Amino acid sequence: MSKATNRRIVLASRPVGAPVASDFRMETEPLPSPNEGQMLLRTVYLSLDPYMRGRMSDAPSYAPPVSIGGLMVGATVSRVEISDVPGFAVGDWVLSQNGWQDYAISDGSGVLNLGAHPARPSYALGVLGMPGFTAYMGLLDIGQPQPGETVVVAAATGAVGSVVGQIAKLKDRRVVGIAGGTEKCRYAVEELGLDACLDHRSRKLKEELAEACPKGIDVYYENVGGVVFDAVLPLLNARARIPLCGVIANYNGDPAAESKLRISQVMSTLLRRRIRVQGFIIFEDYRSHFGEFQKQMKEWFEAGKIKYREDIVSGLENAPEAFMGLLQGKNFGKLVVGVATETWAESRN
Ligand SMILES: NC(=O)c1ccc[n+]([C@@H]2O[C@H](COP(=O)([O-])OP(=O)(O)OC[C@H]3O[C@@H](n4cnc5c(N)ncnc54)[C@H](OP(=O)(O)O)[C@@H]3O)[C@@H](O)[C@H]2O)c1
């Protein structure tokens, strides 16, 4: 065994506004030992996702909050170090929900075996996993972009948004991304193949969006809310669809990020233009479609039709800072923490 202890990052306090370093605490405990019928999993990659901000709060939500002193939740890609669970051999890579820690004990419930030699194990946390699935279902089942229509996607270079834009392009629609900064916008157009991409920090976002969408907007894939939604609303066409995936601008409760629109103005626009807005929580609403998604995405990915960018931060101890950065747009691509770097290096050989 290479380590005698397990490091875990727990919630020290509930953030007021944006999370700060003191809201997290690193603890160390003896390495847990698996009992009969259990296995020991070593975290290699930890996924950092915006929903974790919701779990740090005790406001009512679709999932229970992390308790004070409780382990921060999160999806992980791990390797099996000891196993007494049928179907899981030492050395197998697995996808599970082990949270922000080095090791976890599992009886195999809810654990997906990725096999002994997956080509890119961390991709199960991104394009081939939850974020990719969210993009796929939200765009195709709720957005349903039709020939000749214009799709706008917010947070266009992120884990979800980058896949939304590329699927819409695969369907041959006009796609306009919105992202934070020149470099992300360049990437969205030159690498992901979007028709245009606009910086949401531009003071002229409304005018620039109108120019980029001369026929209006038919599908707005909402990841952000706030000022981005304000720019989109006036341009929505009759019978437009809004897959309401996330409103990250609001997660820290920052008043400056709030939409400037009045609710009555939003409601009357939705009514007059017969716009359909549908919120969804991916695994609550679409779990039974995961196999269909995996098959299709693997096919597109292997054919080189979908590009994927990871932003890998090394070291569990750096997870809090990386997570705080995610809520400010500092990540460029799917944010993942490389927790066990030596095992990680092995996976790339
Ligand atoms: N409904 C579901 O089941 C489900 C599942 C997965 C994800 N989601 C939601 O999907 C959205 C994207 O998640 P992701 O995992 O793909 O994250 P991501 O896009 O990889 O990273 C978050 C991005 O959000 C943007 N952002 C952060 N704060 C912002 C602000 N105040 N204003 C504008 N943009 C801001 C930043 O991009 P820029 O630098 O480009 O602004 C940042 O890089 C989130 O809202 C998340 O909650 C929902």
Side-chain angles (χ1 to χ4, degrees), residues 15-67:
V16 179
V20 294
S22 59
D23 294 325
F24 305 89
R25 185 174 65 242
M26 169 85 86
E27 295 181 344
T28 303
E29 63 176 17
L31 188 68
S33 299
N35 292 323
E36 202 175 311
Q38 293 184 327
M39 56 186 168
L40 178 67
L41 303 178
R42 182 178 187 183
T43 310
V44 182
Y45 297 103
L46 164 68
S47 180
L48 294 181
D49 299 274
Y51 75 83
M52 293 166 176
R53 176 63 185 83
R55 300 287 203 284
M56 297 175 80
S57 155
D58 58 4
S61 182
Y62 62 93
V66 174
S67 55

Side-chain angles (χ1 to χ4, degrees), residues 135-274:
Y136 179 88
M137 295 310 312
L139 179 69
L140 298 181
D141 192 59
I142 302 174
Q144 298 186 16
Q146 302 301 308
E149 289 192 335
T150 298
V151 175
V152 170
V153 56
T157 63
V160 174
S162 63
V163 180
V164 170
Q166 291 181 90
I167 297 176
K169 281 313 299 175
L170 279 174
K171 302 284 175 191
D172 210 18
R173 310 300 182 241
R174 177 168 177 78
V175 185
V176 176
I178 300 176
T182 316
E183 182 50 22
K184 285 186 178 179
C185 284
R186 187 205 61 75
Y187 172 79
V189 173
E190 292 178 17
E191 305 286 331
L192 302 180
L194 272 51
D195 297 287
C197 183
L198 307 169
D199 184 349
H200 62 75
R201 297 193 195 104
S202 164
R203 287 209 198 117
K204 293 187 171 165
L205 178 63
K206 283 186 180 174
E207 293 83 350
E208 288 165 356
L209 190 60
E211 204 173 308
C213 303
K215 294 183 184 168
I217 299 169
D218 301 291
V219 177
Y220 172 52
Y221 195 104
E222 177 64 292
N223 282 324
V224 166
V227 297
V228 177
F229 180 77
D230 292 0
V232 166
L233 188 78
L235 299 172
L236 289 168
N237 288 330
R239 302 204 183 279
R241 286 81 63 202
I242 303 180
L244 179 47
C245 175
V247 283
I248 195 168
N250 303 136
Y251 292 176
N252 285 330
D254 174 8
E258 285 292 327
S259 166
K260 306 279 185 301
L261 298 172
R262 293 167 58 85
I263 190 74
S264 54
Q265 193 182 349
V266 175
M267 298 287 257
S268 60
T269 305
L270 298 181
L271 170 64
R272 277 185 285 110
R273 299 196 204 146
R274 289 93 84 207

Side-chain angles (χ1 to χ4, degrees), residues 103-145:
Y103 289 94
I105 299 291
S106 166
D107 63 5
S109 314
V111 179
L112 183 69
N113 195 337
L114 303 172
H117 304 288
R120 298 174 191 86
S122 60
Y123 284 27
L125 300 170
V127 64
L128 303 178
M130 184 279 279
F133 186 33
T134 304
Y136 179 88
M137 295 310 312
L139 179 69
L140 298 181
D141 192 59
I142 302 174
Q144 298 186 16

